[in-house]
Amino acid sequence: MWDGEHLHQFVKETFKDRSLIVVSNREPYIHSRSNGKIRCDRTVGGLTAVLDSAMKSMGGVWVAWGSGDADWEVTDREGKVAVPPDQPSYLLKRIPLTPKEIEQYYYGVSNRFFWPLFHKFVDRVQFLEEEWLCYKEANRRFADAVLTELKEKQSPVIWIQDYHLACVPLMLRERRPDATLSLFWHIPWPSYDLFKIAPCRQELLESLLCCNLLGFQTDSDRDHFLEAVEKEFAAPVDFSSHEVTYKGHVTIAKTCAASIDTAAWIKLASLSGIEKKVGNVRRQLGLPSTGFFGIGVDRLEYTKGILERFSAVDIFLTRYPQFREKFTFMQIASPSRMAMAEYREYGEKVENAARMINRKYSSNGWKPIEYLPSHVGSLDLAIYYRAADIAIISPFADGMNLVAKEFVAAQVDERGVLLLSQFAGAAREMPGAVLIDPHDLEEFVSEIKRSLEMAPSAKKAAMSGMRSHLQTYNVYKWVKDLLSESCLSHKRSQTVTPLSDRFPVPQSERAYSPSLIPPPDFPPLP
Ligand code: F6P
């Protein structure tokens, strides 16, 4: 079973003195001022949580947007700070973004174009040429920050994350043909019918094809990507080995499902005294000993299907009144992208729906929905996961959904049931989950009832298989598989056509000097 120590050894033996750099939009730690003091918090989101576990074992440099209001008070002149604060094990190199970049690169192209299109919310898609130019400029700043870190080191290993940084591979490849370059696409990749809507589709693919390895969450994401390449470029695509040969360079597309630090969740969920806290949660909710507790944990996000989940609870309580005063559903929703009107509006709708359902059914001090629109830390989450009889994770589209995996890992007594949308990437790996279609409320409601009434032996059997899968396929195995595949792919690519032939002349130095990162002179985001 892979753990942090194995990953550490793997990186040491495989990469020796090569630089290892991870790049993402979101930073793993954020510094902010509170009551005159600087505090450091983990940021919200699955990607940063799991990569932080891996980076703690691997060391190296993580390049990301510095978005905290005290971020620049703790960094050196190069924008770097050692993290985690209690046990520094890698360097976080922060990049300042201007208000225009935040608006056009992050909210604009990343979250009004890529996010809705790739999650099939076509009516929300907005593409503006001006924002696309700004997206590329911002990507250039991330690429420059990486290049500054590489200095003279040969054959660096660079791992780029997600849809925010899709143009970074080309920018790096032009300057560092010797790099082992990979990118992991954390969100779904849509079918060609949707993808062809994207005006920037050829630029996007051209850049991604500069990677040695492209990682996807599911086979269908990978195959949709290969289909897009074949249709757009008529490039040779081998659908059995998942290789693309484009302009003499080979890129391998690989399914490699993201995972969690399973052992860390098991440890949290087994802490001494946790049973007492679990009992307290159920008591505070006013549940009788024969009562049921359901939980949902998401970013406050329209793709997650929170409103429809509440509708399912509403119909469930109408159809099966025997569960009134016996079933409470807690929805934890971490505020996300709140500077965007659509996210604020969605938050209001969710809040109103919870209020309306509570007004309809509350009685004798019991209410059906406990809505917590805030971020909840891992220890409290582990307590809620243990206290829950069911978890309902019902997104309309989701690259993976690591909450589903956390819930399973935390079921140390194997008494919970996972109700999971068939449209979450995690559904492919969770055969013991009760799969639902969030559009089909009839079925959804019946499955809630069936899950609550499932025999303990059936629950145990379902949970146990999923838990042993997660113990093997954890975050360390995920990262090791991706990095070793990218090295193999890099070697293979060099034997086909050396990349130095494809990008023979390094581009001249740009006016923007990435070596000194100035502190931003603008207010950070709320
Ligand atoms: O899944 C994509 C992702 O980048 C994840 O890291 C995370 O769940 C979420 O989106 C974070 O979004 P943001 O950084 O915009 O808050």
Side-chain angles (χ1 to χ4, degrees):
M1 209 171 296
W2 274 76
D3 62 15
E5 186 47 35
H6 288 114
L7 184 61
H8 175 78
Q9 283 306 327
F10 163 80
V11 166
K12 212 165 114 186
E13 284 157 23
T14 315
F15 300 149
K16 301 197 168 71
D17 59 351
R18 297 166 70 185
S19 300
L20 172 65
I21 312 238
V22 164
V23 203
S24 72
N25 171 67
R26 183 66 64 201
E27 58 180 343
Y29 294 90
I30 187 163
H31 287 87
S32 49
R33 279 217 164 259
S34 159
N35 298 327
K37 289 198 179 128
I38 296 180
R39 52 179 284 173
C40 180
D41 293 297
R42 301 274 299 267
T43 50
V44 177
L47 180 155
T48 53
V50 298
L51 276 178
D52 179 54
S53 298
M55 285 298 282
K56 283 194 255 187
S57 308
M58 299 192 294
V61 180
W62 183 335
V63 175
W65 166 31
S67 55
D69 63 9
D71 269 359
W72 304 94
E73 295 181 47
V74 297
T75 50
D76 65 14
R77 280 170 59 78
E78 294 183 337
K80 286 193 271 197
V81 57
V83 289
D86 50 339
Q87 210 176 353
S89 35
Y90 66 93
L91 287 173
L92 169 61
K93 179 180 175 111
R94 290 174 163 149
I95 301 182
L97 294 180
T98 64
K100 181 179 168 201
E101 284 165 338
I102 295 168
E103 178 48 36
Q104 300 195 342
Y105 144 77
Y106 175 66
Y107 290 119
V109 174
S110 300
N111 289 321
R112 286 196 189 91
F113 169 66
F114 276 120
W115 185 270
L117 179 61
F118 281 59
H119 287 86
K120 303 189 212 167
F121 279 77
V122 183
D123 56 337
R124 291 181 185 249
V125 174
Q126 176 184 304
F127 182 87
L128 298 173
E129 192 58 38
E130 185 198 348
E131 292 188 345
W132 177 242
L133 292 176
C134 184
Y135 174 91
K136 287 189 282 185
E137 271 313 302
N139 272 225
R140 170 74 65 198
R141 279 146 65 68
F142 282 88
D144 282 346
V146 172
L147 290 165
T148 309
E149 279 312 298
L150 302 181
K151 305 200 171 77
E152 302 304 312
K153 290 255 182 112
Q154 283 306 300
S155 302
V157 180
I158 306 168
W159 187 18
I160 304 158
Q161 309 296 323
D162 234 347
Y163 59 100
H164 310 88
L165 304 176
C167 293
V168 171
L170 176 64
M171 294 166 181
L172 290 178
R173 188 54 90 202
E174 286 174 337
R175 302 277 291 276
R176 293 302 299 252
D178 60 329
T180 297
L181 213 55
S182 57
L183 183 145
F184 191 81
W185 197 265
H186 290 256
I187 63 172
W189 190 287
S191 67
Y192 186 68
D193 275 352
L194 283 182
F195 179 73
K196 70 182 179 201
I197 296 172
C200 57
R201 59 192 180 278
Q202 294 215 342
E203 268 187 277
L204 167 67
L205 294 176
E206 285 252 1
S207 174
L208 294 180
L209 290 173
C210 289
C211 288
N212 301 108
L213 184 92
L214 287 168
F216 294 93
Q217 302 274 27
T218 66
D219 289 351
S220 79
D221 298 329
R222 177 202 61 203
D223 293 346
H224 285 154
F225 166 78
L226 292 173
E227 183 197 10
V229 171
E230 190 187 43
K231 297 236 161 82
E232 286 296 326
F233 296 142
V237 175
D238 184 332
F239 281 90
S240 52
S241 61
H242 315 119
E243 288 184 9
V244 181
T245 310
Y246 181 65
K247 295 189 179 170
H249 172 236
V250 176
T251 299
I252 297 186
K254 185 180 166 60
T255 304
C256 202
S259 197
I260 57 164
D261 189 345
T262 313
W265 280 100
I266 294 175
K267 195 170 163 196
L268 270 184
S270 320
L271 283 178
S272 79
I274 199 163
E275 269 91 7
K276 195 166 164 223
K277 291 184 172 148
V278 166
N280 290 344
V281 167
R282 294 178 70 99
R283 246 189 317 281
Q284 278 159 15
L285 293 170
L287 285 171
S289 56
T290 52
F292 299 98
F293 174 45
I295 191 160
V297 181
D298 303 88
R299 281 186 305 107
L300 189 48
E301 158 70 56
Y302 59 82
T303 58
K304 304 289 185 185
I306 303 173
L307 283 172
E308 294 69 17
R309 196 177 304 169
F310 284 1
S311 297
V313 171
D314 183 1
I315 300 170
F316 172 76
L317 291 170
T318 298
R319 186 163 305 164
Y320 306 111
Q322 66 272 30
F323 282 95
R324 295 186 195 174
E325 297 188 16
K326 281 199 174 156
F327 173 69
T328 298
F329 182 69
M330 177 185 278
Q331 176 65 51
I332 296 171
S334 318
S336 172
R337 306 172 189 168
M338 292 309 267
M340 292 171 76
E342 50 266 58
Y343 281 76
R344 290 196 302 276
E345 282 158 20
Y346 188 73
E348 280 162 25
K349 282 187 189 159
V350 169
E351 192 130 19
N352 286 338
R355 202 174 301 127
M356 192 271 290
I357 296 169
N358 282 340
R359 205 176 297 134
K360 189 164 159 190
Y361 298 100
S362 292
S363 57
N364 296 321
W366 164 84
K367 60 178 178 177
I369 294 187
E370 196 66 46
Y371 180 54
L372 299 185
S374 56
H375 177 60
V376 171
S378 327
L379 178 56
D380 287 338
L381 273 185
I383 296 168
Y384 289 133
Y385 290 152
R386 286 279 316 265
D389 298 286
I390 58 171
I392 309 183
I393 315 279
S394 53
F396 290 114
D398 211 334
M400 177 50 52
N401 199 299
L402 297 172
V403 169
K405 293 189 172 182
E406 292 171 6
F407 175 74
V408 169
Q411 294 302 302
V412 290
D413 47 10
E414 299 181 339
R415 51 169 286 279
V417 178
L418 172 65
L419 270 92
L420 180 61
S421 164
Q422 57 182 275
F423 306 116
R428 312 290 181 287
E429 283 179 89
M430 301 278 129
V434 172
L435 292 189
I436 48 139
D437 174 349
H439 306 91
D440 182 350
L441 285 180
E442 290 296 322
E443 180 215 48
F444 196 159
V445 168
S446 310
E447 293 297 50
I448 292 178
K449 179 158 184 288
R450 187 169 74 87
S451 305
L452 293 177
E453 292 177 338
M454 207 179 267
S457 56
K459 295 200 246 182
K460 206 170 178 56
M463 222 4 117
S464 137
M466 296 192 289
R467 295 187 76 245
S468 63
H469 170 81
L470 284 183
Q471 281 173 330
T472 306
Y473 291 94
N474 59 19
V475 61
Y476 303 105
K477 173 93 171 76
W478 174 61
V479 173
K480 178 257 168 189
D481 283 354
L482 268 162
L483 292 178
S484 54
E485 284 284 341
S486 43
C487 289
L488 287 177
S489 175
H490 182 238
K491 272 195 195 131
R492 179 154 154 51
S493 187
Q494 295 290 44
T495 60
V496 178
T497 306
L499 277 161
S500 46
D501 289 358
R502 196 172 149 206
F503 299 107
V505 188
Q507 290 202 349
S508 56
E509 290 300 316
R510 285 162 211 283
Y512 167 70
S513 161
S515 56
L516 283 185
I517 295 188
D521 54 358
F522 44 77
L525 272 184

